[in-house]
């Protein structure tokens, strides 16, 4: 290959798209290794590239493949081209294995042929199987040969796409082909004899599927979004749309071309955009893009294969949405040059930055800005300000700061608006606009406020109740309104203060104590409320802080309250100190001393001063008996006047070991208990446990006897007074109307019908046929036990002779009347003497009656 880059070809390198062939620096192409070519021609792509200027050039090289042979008697120094075999035409019968006759009459085997590719069109309608080609060996005249094929599409998935007649060698395709599924197949043909012995070497068969235009172009996205600045010049790039065709891209079937079908809206021109038919790049083709008129275009793009032939190609469409972006081509301006409005003033003094809804609404209507440009502002008064607009077409909001009717009743403003960004090039207009605004302020009721907030006063603690502390008054800013201010407490944690509702004078309601829990850092804080009587009423709060100066009103307390010391001196001492609720200078240094009364205190103990806050308590005598001693100590602070307190410390005196620590026996002795007392306590505990144990044993024995003890006398002979309650019997036969026949045996029984009419006794066993109870088997089966029990239960339920019988027992029938009198009228008569001594002979049950009526003469 020859190449010239107009610079002497220095540094130019060559490459090919095949690993089998290479190109030298002089342009000579050569095979990199032994190559067996499967077809009659070979197409390669040769690339020349310059690494210095990063340029690349491509060229297509087409080779014609010829068959070469070797002759006997000569060494194969090179292969010689056979002109007759330059182009081999494909026929229905291929002889890949041919025999050649040598000059001396001997047959020699020639090199196997290279079979040209077999082309099969896709989507064939058949009929199937459809013959592709026939292959045979010229040895089939001598022996019987069997043909077979292997490879993908034959005996490998996809299976049985191709088949071959083993006898005739005819090769078939069995179903329609799809190039998009698989574009080529590589098979190997085999020839064997009837015994399976190889007759010829296997040959390669290459089958290519011819592409048909059976796929439409498909866009990567159905909707594409792009943007272009307004006012862009023709030829400005907007976006790229891409469609892919699954057909062969090297043929017209896969060559896609683009075109614009429609544009919406068609303003200012129906052809504002054009598209590159091959690359899909959309560019502007006309001027006049204006975002303020048209903000968005919708373009329908069509992709057609067959190089855009609408008669034969397949098409598909997609939507391209083109947004016109804003540029600063319009300066801001006010629609009205003069504005007059009224404004209420709900703003409090000292709280700037509050919004004014009416002014904001006014400027939202009057202030007009460009689409995306942010506006700057210039104001003629410091009471007003503007916020920056946050986006396209958003209006500016207005804020007022500390507008006071009592100070200014009206404002005259001059407002100027301009763009922060410069106008686009070529725009010949003013970059700013001004307007005059007149604002009237309307008076409203404002809350009273305390001029000094927080107010701090200082005084000593302990001032008496009713003391006037200060006057905490508020000011009403509404000078033109005749309003009264009333005061009240809002927060007074300790309830120490009172405030006059009219003038705000604060007095004490209790004694102020600096040591109270309500005091934080010597400061007591209370909050008060000042409210006017306006419509609507308004109120303000104020905080009063009282700094309490400490006075010496708390005596010191001795610490610790308990200690221990050895019974002999010079072994250890007790360190003592004091705590005072007051603060400097009403605390230390402290004075520690022993009282003179009782005299034993100074006799047994002594105090040694260490510093202003600490001292040591120790024994004065050489030995002190173990025990607990209450040692009084007088502690005096340094206040003016000083306060003192006599505190008692409990000191345990005990025997100590060599380390100065109390021994265990010594600690017990120091607690006031001797050895005899300890032994007595232990004996008492043992006695108490023994009594508890004996009581438990006695209770268990009594419980056992109660269950096993037999009655000593017959219950019938028990003479103890017992009240036995029986069932209520009612008023007798005359008071009850019962049908006694319903409680008797049924009249249907034969043995009952034979009896004479009247009342019958039914407490005897009825005479009748007894049911047959089931007989229990001698060796019952476990599964028959349930059946046996159920059958016996049914027989017992139906047995009229089985007890219990009817519970109604009629012993005698007394008739409808009685000649006897009522027994309720019996009473005792004292007329005549009656001897009741015979009651003593009736037994112990009548003994009490005999005692009551017998022996009247002795009573």
């Amino acid at each position: 290959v020859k190449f010239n880059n107009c610079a002497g070809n220095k540094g130019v390198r060559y490459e090919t798209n095949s690993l089998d062939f290479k190109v030298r620096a002089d342009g000579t192409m050569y095979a990199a290794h032994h190559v067996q070519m499967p077809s009659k021609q070979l197409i390669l792509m040769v690339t020349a590239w310059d690494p210095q200027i990063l340029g690349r050039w491509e060229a297509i090289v087409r080779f014609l493949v010829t068959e070469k042979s070797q002759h006997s008697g000569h060494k194969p120094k090179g292969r010689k081209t056979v002109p007759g075999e330059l182009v081999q035409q494909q026929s229905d019968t291929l002889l890949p294995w041919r025999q050649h006759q040598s000059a001396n009459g001997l047959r020699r085997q020639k090199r196997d042929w290279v079979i040209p590719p077999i082309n099969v069109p896709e989507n064939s309608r058949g009929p199937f199987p459809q013959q592709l080609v026939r292959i045979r060996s010229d040895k089939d005249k001598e022996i019987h040969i069997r043909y077979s094929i292997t490879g993908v599409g034959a005996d490998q998935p996809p299976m049985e796409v191709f088949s071959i007649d083993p006898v005739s060698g005819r090769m078939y395709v069995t179903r329609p082909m799809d190039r998009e599924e698989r574009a080529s197949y590589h098979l190997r043909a085999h020839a064997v004899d009837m015994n399976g012995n190889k007759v010829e070497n296997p040959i390669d068969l290459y089958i290519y599927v011819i592409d048909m235009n059976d796929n439409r172009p498909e866009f990567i996205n159905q909707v594409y979004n792009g943007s272009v600045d307004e006012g862009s010049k023709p030829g400005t790039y907007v976006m790229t749309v891409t469609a892919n065709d699954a057909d062969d891209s090297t043929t017209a079937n896969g060559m896609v071309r683009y075109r614009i079908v429609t544009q919406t809206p068609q303003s200012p021109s129906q052809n504002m955009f054009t598209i590159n038919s091959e690359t899909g790049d959309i560019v502007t083709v006309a001027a006049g893009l204006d975002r303020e008129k048209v903000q968005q275009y919708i373009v329908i793009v069509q992709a057609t294969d067959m190089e855009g032939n609408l008669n034969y190609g397949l098409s598909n469409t997609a939507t391209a949405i083109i947004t016109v972006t804003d540029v600063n081509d319009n300066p801001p301006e006010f629609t009205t040059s003069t504005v007059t409005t009224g404004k209420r003033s709900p703003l409090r003094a000292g709280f700037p930055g509050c919004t004014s809804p009416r002014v904001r609404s006014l400027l939202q209507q009057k202030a007009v800005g460009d689409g995306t440009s942010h506006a700057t502002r210039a104001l003629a008064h410091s009471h007003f300000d503007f916020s920056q607009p946050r986006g396209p077409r958003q209006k500016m909001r207005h804020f007022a700061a500390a507008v006071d009717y009592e100070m200014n009743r009206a404002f005259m403003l001059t407002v100027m608006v301009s763009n922060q960004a410069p106008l686009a090039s070529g725009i010949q207009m003013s970059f700013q606009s001004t307007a005059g605004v007149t604002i009237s302020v309307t008076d409203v009721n404002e809350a009273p406020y305390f001029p000094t907030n927080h107010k701090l006063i200082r005084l000593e603690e302990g001032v008496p109740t009713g003391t006037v502390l200060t006057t905490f008054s508020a000011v009403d800013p509404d000078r033109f309104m005749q309003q009264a201010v009333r005061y009240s407490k809002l927060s007074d944690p300790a309830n120490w203060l009172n405030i006059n509702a009219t003038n705000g004078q604060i007095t004490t309601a209790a004694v102020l104590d600096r040591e109270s829990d309500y005091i934080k850092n010597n400061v007591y804080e209370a909050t008060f409320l000042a409210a006017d009587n306006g419509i609507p009423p308004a109120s303000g709060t104020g905080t009063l802080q009282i700094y309490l100066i400490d006075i010496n009103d708390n005596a010191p307390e001795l610490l610790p309250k308990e200690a221990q010391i050895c019974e002999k001196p010079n072994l250890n001492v007790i360190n003592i100190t004091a705590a005072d609720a007051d603060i400097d200078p009403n605390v230390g240094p402290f004075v520690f001393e022993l009282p003179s009364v009782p005299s034993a205190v100074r006799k047994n103990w002594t105090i040694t001063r260490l510093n202003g806050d600490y001292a040591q308590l120790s024994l004065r005598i050489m030995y002190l008996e173990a025990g607990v001693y209450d040692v009084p100590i007088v502690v005096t602070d340094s206040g003016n006047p000083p306060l003192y307190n006599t505190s008692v410390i409990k000191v345990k005196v005990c025997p100590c070991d060599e380390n100065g620590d109390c021994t265990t026996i010594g600690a017990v002795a120091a607690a006031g208990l001797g050895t005899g007392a300890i032994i007595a306590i232990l004996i008492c505990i043992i006695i108490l446990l023994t009594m508890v144990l004996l009581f438990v044993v006695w209770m268990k024995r009594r419980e056992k006897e109660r269950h096993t003890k037999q009655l000593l006398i017959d219950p019938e002979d028990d003479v103890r007074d017992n009240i036995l309650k029986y069932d209520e019997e009612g008023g007798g036969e005359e008071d009850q109307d019962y049908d006694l026949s319903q409680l008797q045996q049924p009249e249907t029984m034969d043995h009952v019908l034979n009896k004479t009419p009247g009342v019958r006794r039914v407490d005897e066993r009825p005479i009748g046929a007894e049911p047959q109870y089931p007989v229990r088997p001698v060796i019952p089966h476990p599964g028959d036990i349930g059946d046996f029990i159920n059958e016996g239960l049914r027989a017992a339920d139906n047995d009229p002779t089985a007890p219990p019988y009817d519970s109604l027992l009629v012993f005698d029938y007394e008739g409808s009347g009685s000649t006897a009198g009522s027994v309720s009228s019996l009473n005792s008569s004292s007329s005549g003497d009656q001897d009741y001594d015979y009651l003593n002979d009736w037994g112990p049950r009548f003994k009490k009656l005999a005692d009551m009526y017998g022996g009247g003469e002795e009573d």
Side-chain angles (χ1 to χ4, degrees):
V1 294
K2 296 181 180 181
F3 174 76
N4 185 10
N5 66 347
C6 301
N9 294 349
K10 294 182 179 180
V12 175
R13 300 179 183 178
Y14 299 92
E15 294 178 354
T16 66
N17 61 345
S18 174
L19 300 177
D20 299 331
F21 298 90
K22 294 183 180 181
V23 183
R24 296 187 177 95
D26 58 355
T28 304
M29 296 188 63
Y30 64 99
H33 52 268
H34 178 74
V35 180
Q36 182 177 0
M37 306 305 300
S39 60
K40 295 184 297 181
Q41 66 177 3
L42 176 66
I43 298 176
L44 298 179
M45 179 72 70
V46 179
T47 302
W49 64 284
D50 191 346
Q52 297 180 355
I53 62 174
L54 299 180
R56 299 180 68 90
W57 299 268
E58 296 178 346
I60 296 177
V61 178
R62 178 175 298 176
F63 291 97
L64 294 179
V65 182
T66 61
E67 183 179 4
K68 298 181 180 180
S69 61
Q70 295 180 358
H71 297 277
S72 61
H74 300 278
K75 294 183 178 179
K77 297 183 179 179
R79 295 187 177 181
K80 195 171 183 180
T81 304
V82 180
E85 297 175 355
L86 180 63
V87 178
Q88 177 182 351
Q89 300 294 332
Q90 178 177 345
S91 62
D92 291 340
T93 302
L94 301 178
L95 295 175
W97 304 286
R98 299 184 59 183
Q99 304 291 334
H100 290 265
Q101 187 75 26
S102 62
N104 55 6
L106 297 177
R107 297 175 60 88
R108 63 180 179 86
Q109 183 70 31
K110 188 183 182 300
R111 181 177 60 87
D112 294 341
W113 283 14
V114 177
I115 303 301
I118 303 172
N119 296 324
V120 180
E122 67 172 336
N123 302 324
S124 175
R125 296 185 179 181
F128 296 99
Q130 182 178 5
Q131 181 177 346
L132 297 179
V133 71
R134 179 186 179 188
I135 59 176
R136 57 179 291 271
S137 172
D138 51 5
K139 292 183 180 180
D140 59 354
K141 298 178 181 179
E142 302 174 0
I143 58 176
H144 294 285
I145 297 178
R146 291 292 182 266
Y147 303 97
S148 64
I149 56 175
T150 59
V152 176
D155 59 346
Q156 298 178 17
M159 306 285 287
E160 299 180 355
V161 177
F162 303 97
S163 63
I164 189 171
D165 189 327
V167 176
S168 64
R170 290 183 175 87
M171 184 175 174
Y172 302 91
V173 60
T174 61
R175 60 191 182 197
M177 310 294 290
D178 187 359
R179 193 200 68 84
E180 287 72 38
E181 181 180 348
R182 190 175 184 90
S184 64
Y185 295 86
H186 179 200
L187 302 178
R188 294 179 68 85
H190 305 270
V192 297
D193 58 11
M194 300 301 293
N195 295 326
N197 299 320
K198 182 175 69 173
V199 176
E200 303 283 359
N201 293 328
I203 62 171
D204 293 326
L205 300 177
Y206 292 91
I207 302 174
Y208 294 99
V209 182
I210 302 175
D211 182 51
M212 307 295 289
N213 190 21
D214 58 345
N215 291 278
R216 294 179 180 273
E218 296 291 339
F219 283 93
I220 297 177
N221 301 312
Q222 283 300 313
V223 178
Y224 290 85
N225 292 281
S227 62
V228 61
D229 291 340
E230 62 175 332
S232 297
K233 296 179 180 181
T236 303
Y237 172 80
V238 179
M239 67 170 68
T240 299
V241 296
T242 304
N244 297 323
D245 197 318
D247 293 324
D248 189 359
S249 60
T250 61
T251 64
N253 298 334
M255 296 182 181
V256 180
R257 298 295 182 264
Y258 303 92
R259 74 185 187 94
I260 293 178
V261 180
T262 60
Q263 168 195 308
T264 305
Q266 297 181 359
S267 174
S269 172
Q270 63 179 358
N271 295 320
M272 295 296 297
F273 305 95
T274 186
I275 188 170
N276 188 306
S277 61
E278 295 184 1
T279 62
D281 295 339
I282 298 177
V283 297
T284 59
V285 71
L289 292 174
D290 190 355
R291 191 196 67 84
E292 284 71 35
K293 295 180 180 180
V294 179
Q295 298 183 2
Q296 190 179 78
Y297 290 91
I298 298 178
V299 177
I300 304 300
V301 179
Q302 184 182 56
T304 306
D305 56 14
M306 298 298 293
E307 296 181 295
N309 191 326
L310 298 178
N311 295 325
Y312 304 101
L314 302 178
S315 301
N316 213 337
T317 59
T319 302
I321 300 176
I322 302 174
T323 302
V324 181
T325 57
D326 185 47
V327 297
N328 192 18
D329 58 346
N330 293 287
E333 61 181 8
F334 289 102
T335 58
T336 304
S337 60
T338 303
V339 179
T340 302
T341 181
K343 176 187 180 299
R344 296 181 61 85
S345 174
L347 306 176
R348 300 181 186 177
F351 289 89
C354 299
T355 61
S356 172
R358 294 188 62 185
V359 173
R360 180 196 306 169
S361 175
L362 166 71
L363 292 182
Q364 286 178 351
Q365 296 176 6
K366 300 301 181 182
V368 178
D370 189 14
T372 59
S373 302
H374 291 270
T376 59
R377 69 272 187 273
L379 302 175
H381 203 283
S382 60
H383 282 85
F384 300 91
D385 194 6
F386 288 93
S387 65
Q388 298 294 341
R390 298 181 181 177
R393 290 296 181 185
Q394 289 190 357
K395 310 302 187 294
M396 293 179 293
R397 295 184 177 181
H398 179 272
F399 293 83
V403 179
D404 193 354
Y405 176 83
E406 286 73 23
M407 298 296 294
N408 301 93
R409 300 188 182 185
F411 295 91
M412 299 294 295
L413 304 180
T414 299
V415 182
M416 180 185 69
V417 61
S418 63
N419 285 128
Q420 289 182 350
L423 294 178
S425 60
I427 306 299
Q428 302 296 329
M429 299 179 66
S430 176
F431 68 93
Q432 64 183 16
S433 178
T434 59
V437 180
T438 302
I439 300 176
S440 299
V441 182
T442 304
D443 191 21
V444 296
N445 184 28
E446 297 178 81
Y449 65 94
F450 291 88
T452 305
N453 193 15
H454 301 30
K455 184 176 182 179
L456 178 65
I457 61 175
R458 300 171 62 92
L459 71 154
E460 290 186 350
E461 64 172 327
V463 296
T465 303
T467 303
V468 178
L469 301 182
T470 185
T471 299
F472 197 28
S473 59
V475 176
D476 193 347
D478 299 314
R479 301 195 306 268
F480 302 101
M481 296 181 182
Q482 301 298 325
Q483 297 179 152
V485 179
R486 306 286 294 180
Y487 301 92
S488 61
K489 286 196 304 183
L490 188 62
S491 173
D492 184 10
N495 201 22
W496 284 346
L497 305 176
N498 289 328
I499 186 169
N500 190 299
T502 304
N503 56 17
Q505 188 180 70
I506 296 177
T507 58
T508 59
V511 177
L512 278 63
D513 186 8
R514 193 201 63 82
E515 290 75 29
S516 172
D517 294 335
Y518 298 103
I519 302 298
K520 303 299 180 184
N521 298 325
N522 302 329
V523 176
Y524 180 73
E525 191 171 281
T527 306
F528 298 93
L529 184 70
D532 60 20
N533 57 351
I535 299 175
S539 61
T541 59
T543 302
L544 177 65
Q545 293 179 334
I546 304 175
Y547 185 88
L548 296 177
I549 301 173
D550 184 45
I551 63 174
N552 192 19
D553 57 346
N554 292 279
E557 292 288 338
L558 182 68
L559 294 177
K561 299 296 183 181
E562 295 182 356
Q564 66 180 13
I565 194 173
C566 295
E567 60 186 3
K568 295 181 180 181
N570 299 328
L571 292 179
N572 54 10
V573 294
I574 300 173
N575 293 324
I576 58 177
T577 184
D580 198 327
D582 296 323
I583 60 176
D584 286 334
N586 297 319
V587 288
F590 299 103
V591 177
F592 302 92
E593 56 184 353
L594 297 172
S596 58
V597 178
S599 59
V601 174
R602 292 192 173 183
K603 177 182 178 183
N604 296 334
W605 305 92
T606 181
I607 292 179
T608 304
R609 181 183 179 88
L610 296 178
N611 51 37
D613 295 330
Y614 290 91
Q616 288 183 345
L617 177 65
S618 59
L619 289 174
R620 179 184 293 271
I621 60 178
M622 297 303 296
Y623 174 79
L624 185 62
E625 185 179 358
V628 179
Y629 296 87
D630 293 337
V631 181
I633 298 177
V634 179
V635 184
T636 306
D637 60 18
S638 299
N640 186 18
L643 295 180
Y644 68 92
N645 181 29
T646 301
S647 301
V648 176
I649 179 173
K650 289 184 175 294
V651 180
K652 295 181 180 179
V653 180
C654 58
C656 297
D657 53 17
E658 62 275 4
N659 297 325
D661 299 327
C662 285
T663 61
T664 305
I665 299 177
V668 174
L673 296 178
T675 305
I678 296 174
I679 295 175
I681 292 174
L682 294 177
I683 293 175
C684 291
I685 294 174
I686 295 173
I687 294 175
L688 180 61
L689 293 176
T690 304
M691 293 177 63
V692 172
L693 181 61
L694 291 177
F695 178 76
V696 172
V697 172
W698 178 76
M699 289 296 295
K700 290 185 174 293
R701 182 176 181 182
R702 183 181 179 184
E703 183 70 17
K704 183 177 180 181
E705 290 178 353
R706 187 172 64 83
H707 289 290
T708 57
K709 185 176 181 181
Q710 300 295 331
L711 293 176
L712 299 178
I713 60 175
D714 191 272
E716 295 294 333
D717 299 332
D718 191 1
V719 296
R720 291 176 295 180
D721 295 336
N722 294 320
I723 299 177
L724 303 178
K725 183 178 181 303
Y726 297 92
D727 294 336
E728 185 67 30
E729 296 181 353
E733 295 90 328
E734 295 181 354
D735 296 338
Q736 306 293 338
D737 188 13
Y738 295 117
D739 185 7
L740 300 179
S741 64
Q742 299 296 328
L743 302 177
Q744 298 172 357
Q745 291 291 337
E747 299 293 341
T748 58
M749 299 180 62
D750 295 337
H751 70 283
V752 176
L753 293 176
N754 297 331
K755 293 188 178 182
T756 59
V759 179
R760 297 178 298 276
R761 292 177 58 88
V762 290
D763 56 335
E764 72 233 29
R765 176 174 178 175
I767 300 175
E770 296 183 358
Q772 296 297 324
Y773 285 86
V775 180
R776 184 176 180 182
V778 179
I779 303 177
H781 189 271
D784 298 334
I785 295 177
D787 297 335
F788 173 76
I789 295 175
N790 293 331
E791 292 177 3
L793 178 61
R794 285 194 298 269
D797 291 339
N798 298 326
D799 186 3
T801 64
Y805 315 120
D806 196 339
S807 60
L808 177 63
L809 301 180
V810 181
F811 295 95
D812 197 1
Y813 183 70
E814 296 181 353
S816 60
S818 178
T819 58
S822 175
V823 296
S824 61
S825 61
L826 294 177
N827 56 5
S828 60
S829 175
S830 60
S831 60
D833 296 332
Q834 181 69 27
D835 187 10
Y836 296 98
D837 293 336
Y838 61 89
L839 295 175
N840 295 323
D841 301 333
W842 287 9
R845 302 186 64 177
F846 294 88
K847 185 176 183 304
K848 189 170 186 64
L849 187 62
D851 294 339
M852 294 173 59
Y853 292 94
E857 297 178 355
E858 297 177 0
D859 296 334

